Amino acid sequence: QVQLMESGGGSVQAGGSLRLSCAASGIIFSFNTMAWYRQAPGKQRELVAIKSNGGNINYVESVKGRFTISRDNATKVYLQMNNLKPEDTAVYYCNAKTVTNNYWGQGTQVTVSS
């Protein structure tokens, strides 16, 4: 059973920074992709950033130039968030996918005040 555990959320003022971390535990072979999603109140969950094993990276347009996704090994992924804006307020979820499975963390709250 694979588990994903996020950390690093919190409350900051606009213009501040946070770094989210996600670590996978359990029986892990290889994740094809690791990603961060977010869900704001009343909105659908959206993909924020994704990085494949091959190194391909994609960001949602609204965070380009401010957020950076990185992986330091096969089981950890990070999201560096700079110049945060109130519209970045959401629950952020770590996601990892293999060929056959899709795993989610429980989420970590990020609140940005103006």
Side-chain angles (χ1 to χ4, degrees):
Q1 184 74 12
V2 174
Q3 292 185 326
L4 302 179
M5 181 65 70
E6 303 104 334
S7 61
S11 297
V12 295
Q13 290 189 328
S17 297
L18 286 173
R19 179 177 169 87
L20 304 183
S21 300
C22 173
S25 61
I27 301 174
I28 300 166
F29 295 98
S30 177
F31 295 128
N32 290 351
T33 63
M34 296 192 80
W36 290 94
Y37 286 72
R38 67 186 178 187
Q39 188 166 19
K43 294 187 177 181
Q44 289 188 332
R45 190 173 297 189
E46 69 169 350
L47 175 64
V48 176
I50 186 168
K51 186 171 184 179
S52 71
N53 270 350
N56 292 325
I57 294 175
N58 283 290
Y59 298 97
V60 67
E61 190 66 32
S62 61
V63 308
K64 287 181 179 179
R66 300 188 298 120
F67 291 12
T68 303
I69 188 171
S70 61
R71 292 174 64 176
D72 65 356
N73 58 34
T75 61
K76 293 182 179 179
V77 65
Y78 306 93
L79 187 67
Q80 178 66 43
M81 304 185 294
N82 297 328
N83 190 22
L84 283 159
K85 302 177 180 181
E87 50 264 42
D88 295 318
T89 294
V91 178
Y92 284 70
Y93 296 90
C94 178
N95 172 268
K97 294 181 180 177
T98 65
V99 173
T100 56
N101 290 291
N102 189 19
Y103 302 100
W104 292 94
Q106 292 191 338
T108 185
Q109 177 70 45
V110 171
T111 302
V112 185
S113 59
S114 57

